[in-house]
Amino acid sequence: MNPTPDAAYIAFEGDSCVGSGDLREVARSARQALGRQPQASILIFNGRTSALVDVDFRGSVDDVVARIPLPEPPSTDEDTALAAPRGPGRPKLGVVAREITLLPRHWDWLAQQKGGASVAIRKLVDEARRDNEGSDRIRLAQEAAYRFMSTMAGNRPHFEEAIRALFAGDAKRFGQLIAEWPADVRDHAARLAVPAFHREA
């Protein structure tokens, strides 16, 4: 089975992909695979982070799917603002108060900034997000690929060399080292690793 690009979740039975998409679709496909092979080992991964997802496969396919909540629709800024707890902050604008701990010198510096501490902190966070966007994208892709590969290919030929190539940003060598791995494992690992190799000049 060909995994769906950018699938939210993906399931493997051994080295074969048996489902990809939202969690309910994947759980259905995985439970059907277990119906055909009750002793099969099924692993479900978050499609972006490669974190393992625990699904209760007891009962029928419909039982399994029924236990999984429907995905929540994407929220807008207005939805977030309405859902925000009342209290300190400006919830109608999506601003929520949370506690942070700083040293006295940090509070002294923030107090001198135009607009006050909250405005200064928001500006600092936005600047850091912009400045680190590329490195954060690479790091998250490396971590997701590493997590998946460690689970699914830790005993495969050239595993350690492939991990080194991943973290070195060597896309060509990475592709060569994983070329002989089972197709679904290889293709998903390669898909996860793509952002790690797109470095900014």
Side-chain angles (χ1 to χ4, degrees), residues 43 54 69 78 94 109 141 176:
L43 294 176
D54 188 28
E78 184 177 349
W109 182 84
Q176 292 170 341

Side-chain angles (χ1 to χ4, degrees), residues 147-171:
R147 199 173 289 123
F148 174 76
M149 292 164 63
S150 296
T151 302
M152 296 297 297
N155 61 349
R156 294 285 166 189
H158 313 302
F159 166 76
E160 292 184 2
E161 295 94 329
I163 293 297
R164 284 195 286 271
L166 169 70
F167 283 95
D170 190 338

Side-chain angles (χ1 to χ4, degrees), residues 24-163:
R24 290 165 70 92
E25 293 170 354
V26 171
R28 178 180 295 278
S29 298
R31 181 61 184 83
Q32 289 169 342
L34 281 172
R36 296 187 296 269
Q37 294 286 343
Q39 304 305 315
S41 174
I42 301 285
L43 294 176
I44 298 178
F45 295 89
N46 180 298
R48 287 177 285 276
T49 67
S50 297
L52 285 168
V53 179
D54 188 28
V55 171
D56 184 351
F57 287 117
R58 293 176 299 174
S60 68
V61 172
D62 289 340
D63 292 335
V64 172
V65 174
R67 283 192 289 267
I68 298 173
L70 289 167
E72 294 183 7
S75 62
T76 63
D77 290 341
E78 184 177 349
D79 293 334
T80 303
L82 292 174
R86 299 296 174 179
R90 301 168 70 186
K92 287 187 177 180
L93 299 178
V95 178
V96 179
R98 293 183 183 174
E99 182 178 340
I100 63 169
T101 304
L102 299 174
L103 294 172
R105 67 175 181 274
H106 299 143
W107 287 116
D108 291 343
W109 182 84
L110 286 168
Q112 298 170 20
Q113 303 310 302
K114 184 177 180 180
S118 294
V119 171
I121 289 173
R122 288 198 290 271
K123 287 181 179 178
L124 290 170
V125 170
D126 286 340
E127 288 173 6
R129 288 179 62 192
R130 284 193 300 270
D131 293 344
N132 297 321
E133 183 177 3
S135 59
D136 286 346
R137 172 181 47 77
I138 291 170
R139 176 181 56 80
L140 291 172
Q142 289 172 335
E143 291 174 356
Y146 173 77
R147 199 173 289 123
F148 174 76
M149 292 164 63
S150 296
T151 302
M152 296 297 297
N155 61 349
R156 294 285 166 189
H158 313 302
F159 166 76
E160 292 184 2
E161 295 94 329
I163 293 297

